[in-house]
Amino acid sequence: MTESPTAPKTSRRNVLLGVGGAAICTLAGGGAGYAIANTDGRSSTDADDAAKSDAPQYRSRPDLRAMADVTITTPANGTTPGGILLTPFAGGWLSGPLMVDEQGSPIWFKKVPDPATVAIDFKAQRYRNKQVLCWWEGTIGGTGGQGVGQGEFVIADNHYHEITRIRAAGSEQADQHDFIITPNDTAVFWVYDPIPYDLSPYGGPADGVLHDGVIQEIDIATGQKVFEWRAHEHIGLDESHAPLPKGDNAHLPWDFFHANSVGLAADGNLIVSARHTWGCYKIDRKSGEVIWRLGGKKSDFTIDPKAAFFWQHDFRQRRDGTYSVFDNGAGIEKNRDYSRGLVMQLDESARTAKFVTEFVHDEKLSAPTQGCCRELADGGTFMGWGQMPWFTEYAPDGTVRLDGHLPLNSQSYRAYKVDWSAEPLDQPALGLHTEGGNVIVSVSWNGATKVAKWRARAGGQPGEALSPAVEADRTGFETTMKIDGMVEYVVVDALDRSGKVIGTSASIPARV
């Protein structure tokens, strides 16, 4: 893997959520297939135990056990507004979509329900002209550290209410590598389809199996398939850099293509990335024909040496017409000592690809799998370093204006930044305990984005008779307040910046 990074430069905030604890009264309103990079010299088990023994306990939400730390190594300075979207998995932490603020404190978390084992690619998109949250849920398997997913996509509104789930057409299941909602409210994603295939021309068995990369476009409202594209019908198997399975594994599927991104170009055609061919492709959205290849063994472009990429992910077109990619630089073998975000200028007439800029982490991170490089609204760039669990925000001039990471034995397939406003449908969660003859109030509201202050009311009877006792500014996921002396009942109000009550907890007894 890589050399051990240096120690974090600033403080860390613990992310979701402590186990139970001694609260007197509370009312609450693994990923197989990817390799784990051990970057701190400890075993995964040691790191798990150390992290979990240090985990805080959120008395207001004991139903959610300890999850993970987010460490901020470069504090936010001049950043675009918004939360950071992650899907931590592996290392023994709870898996699910996670949004944290720029201090690393959680804003919202949802544990993946059984039987799904992981969540992947948590991001914001637009559906029916409204901002929504999307993620993939399922199981990931595969050989040789290459993750192949079987699952479905979830779309949720700004109340965190699940709108719908998107499944692949036919008997296959959706792969986790990408999911886009088009302006026509269709969903475009990948399916990994194992098909019988004669691999003898390539040194494999005549009765071999090929993992075909299949694009499906599904009408979200009806579930009907409106477009399909199969990689093996357009891309030669001889373009692959992935070795065939050998020996006892000879009849396992050969993942010759390994698709990992799909998106829309400015002209409405599809652009995709295939890790195992080192190729990015533009595909006619009507005919399915390959318009051009960028990179790989049969590139249609002459590429500047500084713009050459290997084992890449997340091929996108930016607003100024340039293209970006997460250049892993390493995969089944290492072709570069570090990964990077790469921006290129393509001349589609002259078929030239020129280097524009690159984004390299200060620690020269090498991520053999996963990762993303996304343009921000102000022209900056947000990077998720995939197998290496960092995320970094860059200003338009390339200056680092935020950097942080998940636990070093975890990872997040991608990381995004989104300006998000939400109103949860449940109540704030409240936990109480006594200390030194006083009542300690712990309060949180999972997913709320407009809380500026908390106000605790207390008294001898529940309901409107409770009087204001104490107020406190919101501090991270959970805020703690002290009510002097003993009271019978407590209720907490959430206040916005104007002082308006936007949510109220249930009234609960302080003595049990």
Side-chain angles (χ1 to χ4, degrees), residues 189-268:
F189 54 88
W190 289 101
V191 171
Y192 275 58
D193 186 16
I195 60 174
Y197 206 88
D198 180 3
L199 297 177
S200 58
Y202 311 96
D207 59 344
V209 181
L210 188 71
H211 245 151
D212 202 8
V214 182
I215 295 173
Q216 284 194 1
E217 182 173 4
I218 302 293
D219 182 276
I220 295 175
T222 67
Q224 296 298 308
K225 181 171 64 178
V226 297
F227 177 79
E228 183 170 279
W229 182 89
R230 289 184 168 270
H232 88 277
E233 295 176 353
H234 302 275
I235 308 299
L237 274 61
D238 59 348
E239 297 181 46
S240 182
H241 289 273
L244 279 89
K246 298 290 186 179
D248 293 340
N249 295 326
H251 286 86
L252 291 176
W254 180 28
D255 188 5
F256 88 105
F257 194 63
H258 200 83
N260 57 35
S261 76
V262 60
L264 294 180
D267 61 8

Side-chain angles (χ1 to χ4, degrees), residues 41-215:
R42 298 182 295 175
S43 70
S44 293
T45 300
D46 291 342
D48 291 349
D49 292 345
K52 291 175 184 176
S53 65
D54 293 338
Q57 296 194 352
Y58 288 84
R59 293 179 182 271
S60 59
R61 291 300 302 263
D63 57 312
L64 298 176
R65 68 179 178 85
M67 185 181 161
D69 284 340
V70 166
T71 299
I72 300 300
T73 57
T74 299
N77 182 16
T79 54
T80 59
I84 300 160
L85 307 188
L86 304 163
T87 46
F89 71 99
W93 309 106
L94 285 180
S95 178
L98 168 66
M99 183 186 303
V100 302
D101 62 23
E102 291 182 334
Q103 289 73 48
S105 182
I107 297 171
W108 180 71
F109 174 74
K110 178 181 174 64
K111 180 186 176 299
V112 172
D114 297 329
T117 59
V118 293
I120 295 290
D121 199 27
F122 178 37
K123 58 192 173 189
Q125 301 195 70
R126 296 196 72 82
Y127 175 56
R128 294 180 173 174
N129 206 32
K130 293 182 179 180
Q131 192 179 38
V132 293
L133 297 176
C134 310
W135 65 92
W136 178 91
E137 289 181 4
T139 59
I140 300 177
T143 58
Q146 308 308 317
V148 175
Q150 293 188 312
E152 59 192 15
F153 298 97
V154 182
I155 302 177
D157 63 19
N158 70 338
H159 303 297
Y160 305 103
H161 170 74
E162 185 177 305
I163 298 171
T164 190
R165 289 183 175 240
I166 310 299
R167 298 175 175 88
S171 60
E172 299 302 322
Q173 295 194 57
D175 177 71
Q176 81 278 6
H177 280 96
D178 212 348
F179 171 73
I180 62 168
I181 299 175
T182 73
N184 296 324
D185 288 334
T186 62
V188 183
F189 54 88
W190 289 101
V191 171
Y192 275 58
D193 186 16
I195 60 174
Y197 206 88
D198 180 3
L199 297 177
S200 58
Y202 311 96
D207 59 344
V209 181
L210 188 71
H211 245 151
D212 202 8
V214 182
I215 295 173

